[in-house]
Amino acid sequence: MEGQSSRGSRRPGTRTGLGPLPMPQGVAQTGAPSKVDSSFQFPAKKSTALRPLEPRITVVTWNVGTAMPPDDVTSLLHLGGDDDSDGADMIAIGLQEVNSMINKRLKDALFTDQWSELFMDALGPFNFVLVSSVRMQGVILLLFAKYYHLPFLRDVQTDCTRTGLGGYWGNKGGVSVRLAAFGHMLCFLNCHLPAHMDKAEQRKDNFQTILSLQQFQGPGAQGILDHDLVFWFGDLNFRIESYDLHFVKFAIDSDQLHQLWEKDQLNMAKSTWPILKGFQEGPLNFAPTFKFDVGTNKYDTSAKKRKPAWTDRILWKVKPPGGGPSPSGRESHRLQVTQHSYRSHMEYTVSDHKPVAAQFVLQFAFRDDMPLVRLEVADEWVRPEQAVVRYRMETVFARSSWDWIGDWRSSWTVGFRHCKDYVAYVWAKHEDVDGNTYQVTFSEESLPKGHGDFILGYYSHNLSILIGVTEPFQISLPTSESASSSTDSSGTSSEGEDDSTLELLAPKSRSPSPGKSKRHRSRSPGLARFPGLALRPSSRERRGASRSPSPQSRCLSRVAPDRSSDGSSRGSSEEGPAGLPGPWAFPPAVPRSLGLLPAFRLETVDPGGGGSWGPDREAPVPNSLSPSPQGHRGLEEGGLGP
């Protein structure tokens, strides 16, 4: 069973992401945490949810032509079929020409764009969680993974490169997400290259620019081609040369596609462009995916009558043994890639392009599957005092005072689509017991009432990702008025606490203005507000910012709030920890590039930025009245931060 437990087959005991554990003896019987039994022994480290050394990856590319999303993308994502379709472990989705008019970009900055919402809603019930996302005007890249794989995904970073208008405009270029998956460095690159038959050399130059400018931080792979495996896909815009329109259509209608392969610009370039050395692609056994009359499966009947072409492509490259040391440090163990399918989807007619999907199986010679944090929780919470979580850390894990443990509804009910979908949280306070075992308790007022299946996860502030998750467990708490009044009385018992602080503890409170939460609100990764905006020049020095061939200006100086001992904040010129949780601590960040100006972006004046790469910075431990840990990065930068 793929990491989820059937409701009818639950066993008593505890739930972890690593199999059932015995019930701890030190579980609190009151609302306050009890002392942890330091003699408790965790079981041997193992994973029951992972396929042995053969993760499956699905890659999708689609030029959506500024269209509205369709109602259903089930067939495109190969979900619910008879070919073990929902067996994918990761799914990468690259979109091009998403509507990026100014009014749409402002709306997408405030809320998640409709295309991202569509895919999150479709994949949530299949246990997929959005790991990272990055947007550059109309080019979007979304990376999903099964939630129980999250503890084995590390070092997630994004980058983007503008190549339109000499590097000042993002209608063309590339966006990427890189990460370490089970100890192997993977990179997903979604590109939209220049159009038209005579722009083949310009497409090559743009691809070289993207490869040269995109750089990542950390000790692993720094350039795109330094990764163990690279997936390159998108609207690459290569055309079919020599043949006229009538012959191309004849070859398509008579199913003689092989006659067109040899004149495909990308196929010809593979043997002449050194930059394409090592890139592989499956056979083009599907009809050209461009250009169609919108709403039909007929090729262009307009006055232009553009010639059909395979503009939408998916390629991959495995780093060769002679290509330098493996980022994993294990030179002799190279991964292997097998493509199981490569096809277009003619059933989608909202765009003049057809989407293309490919399914891969990766063979790993080794797999790092030791979670940095292992969580343990009772099989069911029927009383508030049972809401106790025990967790153990590996000694190599650099914890932060801003780490937190969240509670999510399981994917087959409401959907655990993204880490911002949590319904409750508690700060991961670190009271040393035996060196690496700790215990925390959820407050009664923060717990969801009623009955449902839930998942717990440990979010690392430094790594900006969930690094520990449990198997699903049940919460069955009373919803009577007496329980509510008890909760209310306990919530107002402390003296000197202001009501707005208590309001922020409400399970579904996400509003930066205490007591004024909006009725319709998205808790997905695109959520951003505009409490204070600054128009900044772009900067190539900032991590995660767009890189382009054009010269960039320096950033304005940042102003960070200064957190006092009582949890309040005031202006300070010192740099605080990146991504401090909560709009009460700092104003939420605005996506770094709204595509409004070619060389400028709207930003909040805050201390944002990426997660820390150095050792844990000593930040004050947040008190229990701090607001929920909201993210400092929007959909532009991606990342799994809350």
Side-chain angles (χ1 to χ4, degrees):
M1 184 175 296
E2 286 299 317
Q4 69 183 48
S5 176
S6 172
R7 296 189 188 187
S9 61
R10 294 186 177 277
R11 293 175 292 176
T14 59
R15 290 290 177 186
T16 72
L18 309 166
L21 296 177
M23 189 67 182
Q25 300 300 316
V27 172
Q29 297 302 315
T30 64
S34 68
K35 183 177 181 181
V36 178
D37 181 5
S38 61
S39 64
F40 173 76
Q41 297 296 318
F42 280 79
K45 305 179 185 67
K46 63 179 180 179
S47 176
T48 58
L50 302 177
R51 288 190 187 86
L53 305 178
E54 292 189 356
R56 302 183 184 183
I57 295 179
T58 297
V59 178
V60 175
T61 179
W62 192 1
N63 184 319
V64 300
T66 71
M68 295 290 291
D71 294 331
D72 182 38
V73 288
T74 300
S75 62
L76 174 60
L77 300 173
H78 298 268
L79 301 173
D82 298 327
D83 56 348
D84 195 21
S85 55
D86 62 340
D89 298 286
M90 300 176 67
I91 297 180
I93 301 170
L95 305 175
Q96 308 86 39
E97 291 194 24
V98 175
N99 191 334
S100 57
M101 298 295 289
I102 290 179
N103 61 331
K104 283 291 296 180
R105 293 295 287 120
L106 287 173
K107 182 178 179 180
D108 292 347
L110 290 167
F111 309 97
T112 308
D113 69 273
Q114 293 173 304
W115 283 95
S116 299
E117 286 281 354
L118 170 70
F119 287 112
M120 286 192 289
D121 288 342
L123 289 169
F126 292 87
N127 292 323
F128 282 98
V129 175
L130 183 63
V131 176
S132 186
S133 61
V134 57
R135 178 170 185 173
M136 180 185 67
Q137 288 183 212
V139 183
I140 295 179
L141 176 57
L142 308 169
L143 181 63
F144 294 85
K146 291 287 181 70
Y147 78 86
Y148 44 77
H149 293 322
L150 296 180
F152 314 107
L153 308 181
R154 316 274 171 79
D155 197 13
V156 181
Q157 297 182 49
T158 65
D159 205 349
C160 58
T161 303
R162 302 183 183 95
T163 58
L165 295 180
Y168 280 97
W169 199 243
N171 64 321
K172 295 293 189 293
V175 296
S176 63
V177 174
R178 63 76 64 86
L179 76 162
F182 312 106
H184 300 263
M185 299 300 296
L186 310 181
C187 184
F188 298 86
L189 175 62
N190 173 29
C191 291
H192 191 188
L193 301 182
H196 304 304
M197 179 74 70
D198 59 344
K199 297 296 177 60
E201 286 296 319
Q202 187 175 344
R203 287 188 276 274
K204 178 181 71 172
D205 294 341
N206 277 201
F207 185 44
Q208 288 177 323
T209 297
I210 293 168
L211 293 181
S212 62
L213 289 181
Q214 295 211 2
Q215 297 291 318
F216 304 98
Q217 299 180 4
Q222 295 183 343
I224 290 177
L225 298 183
D226 294 332
H227 291 75
D228 291 321
L229 173 62
V230 177
F231 288 102
W232 175 40
F233 49 98
D235 181 2
L236 307 185
N237 257 322
F238 289 99
R239 307 305 172 99
I240 298 173
E241 292 186 350
S242 302
Y243 300 133
D244 61 18
L245 173 63
H246 298 290
F247 181 83
V248 171
K249 285 190 173 182
F250 169 78
I252 295 171
D253 294 339
S254 59
D255 197 22
Q256 299 182 32
L257 300 178
H258 62 278
Q259 297 192 47
L260 306 179
W261 293 347
E262 60 184 14
K263 296 300 181 180
D264 173 74
Q265 289 180 332
L266 182 54
N267 283 334
M268 293 188 294
K270 289 176 185 176
S271 59
T272 58
W273 293 1
I275 197 172
L276 295 181
K277 182 179 180 181
F279 278 97
Q280 304 178 61
E281 184 182 18
L284 298 170
N285 291 327
F286 51 91
T289 55
F290 173 83
K291 171 182 173 51
F292 291 86
D293 291 338
V294 174
T296 74
N297 286 329
K298 295 180 180 179
Y299 286 105
D300 187 16
T301 60
S302 68
K304 294 184 177 180
K305 288 185 170 55
R306 275 168 281 198
K307 190 164 54 175
W310 285 290
T311 57
D312 310 282
R313 313 287 278 270
I314 300 173
L315 297 89
W316 74 94
K317 180 178 181 178
V318 178
K319 190 172 184 179
S326 169
S328 63
R330 304 181 184 182
E331 177 69 34
S332 60
H333 299 291
R334 295 290 179 177
L335 61 84
Q336 297 180 359
V337 179
T338 303
Q339 187 179 65
H340 275 208
S341 68
Y342 188 29
R343 54 165 295 195
S344 64
H345 286 263
M346 298 291 290
E347 66 270 27
Y348 294 97
T349 61
V350 300
S351 169
D352 56 354
H353 289 251
K354 299 298 181 182
V356 175
Q359 293 177 297
F360 302 89
V361 173
L362 278 56
Q363 289 84 39
F364 288 160
F366 69 92
R367 186 188 68 211
D368 289 342
D369 57 2
M370 178 184 296
L372 294 176
V373 173
R374 294 188 299 138
L375 299 166
E376 171 207 314
V377 64
D379 190 60
E380 186 174 13
W381 292 351
V382 296
R383 299 185 307 276
E385 58 266 22
Q386 292 179 315
V388 178
V389 184
R390 194 176 278 179
Y391 55 99
R392 180 172 183 172
M393 300 181 180
E394 295 299 324
T395 56
V396 296
F397 173 56
R399 64 179 179 85
S400 167
S401 298
W402 297 103
D403 293 351
W404 53 278
I405 296 173
D407 188 13
W408 289 264
R409 296 187 184 275
S410 60
S411 297
W412 55 82
T413 55
V414 176
F416 175 16
R417 311 178 312 161
H418 186 272
C419 78
K420 286 186 177 180
D421 292 330
Y422 63 87
V423 296
Y425 81 98
V426 61
W427 294 108
K429 297 180 180 179
H430 302 285
E431 298 175 359
D432 195 356
V433 176
D434 64 355
N436 57 1
T437 302
Y438 310 92
Q439 177 176 296
V440 295
T441 303
F442 279 82
S443 61
E444 181 177 354
E445 60 267 24
S446 70
L447 293 173
K449 302 303 185 289
H451 179 85
D453 291 320
F454 292 83
I455 296 168
L456 289 175
Y458 185 105
Y459 183 86
S460 167
H461 170 77
N462 288 341
L463 299 179
S464 299
I465 196 170
L466 287 169
I467 59 172
V469 295
T470 68
E471 293 179 8
F473 70 103
Q474 289 186 342
I475 296 180
S476 303
L477 297 178
T479 58
S480 63
E481 291 184 1
S482 60
S484 300
S485 61
S486 173
T487 301
D488 294 340
S489 62
S490 64
T492 58
S493 60
S494 299
E495 296 182 359
E497 296 174 345
D498 100 26
D499 293 338
S500 63
T501 301
L502 294 175
E503 179 67 20
L504 287 171
L505 283 172
K508 294 185 179 180
S509 175
R510 299 289 187 273
S511 173
S513 301
K516 297 182 180 180
S517 57
K518 297 181 180 180
R519 292 184 73 182
H520 302 286
R521 182 168 53 247
S522 171
R523 288 179 289 144
S524 47
L527 180 62
R529 306 174 184 86
F530 298 89
L533 294 180
L535 189 63
R536 301 180 185 275
S538 300
S539 171
R540 293 178 59 181
E541 284 73 34
R542 295 181 59 178
R543 176 171 172 251
S546 171
R547 301 174 186 274
S548 61
S550 60
Q552 304 293 325
S553 304
R554 293 184 301 172
C555 282
L556 299 175
S557 60
R558 303 183 179 191
V559 178
D562 179 25
R563 180 177 291 271
S564 62
S565 59
D566 62 355
S568 62
S569 59
R570 58 182 181 272
S572 171
S573 60
E574 296 181 0
E575 189 80 22
L580 297 183
W584 196 45
F586 293 118
V590 176
R592 293 193 171 184
S593 176
L594 301 184
L596 304 177
L597 295 173
F600 291 87
R601 59 171 61 88
L602 289 171
E603 292 188 356
T604 52
V605 182
D606 72 329
S612 171
W613 287 97
D616 176 35
R617 284 185 270 187
E618 289 299 323
V621 177
N623 58 48
S624 60
L625 296 179
S626 297
S628 57
Q630 299 296 326
H632 62 285
R633 292 190 287 183
L635 188 60
E636 290 278 340
E637 288 185 86
L640 193 59

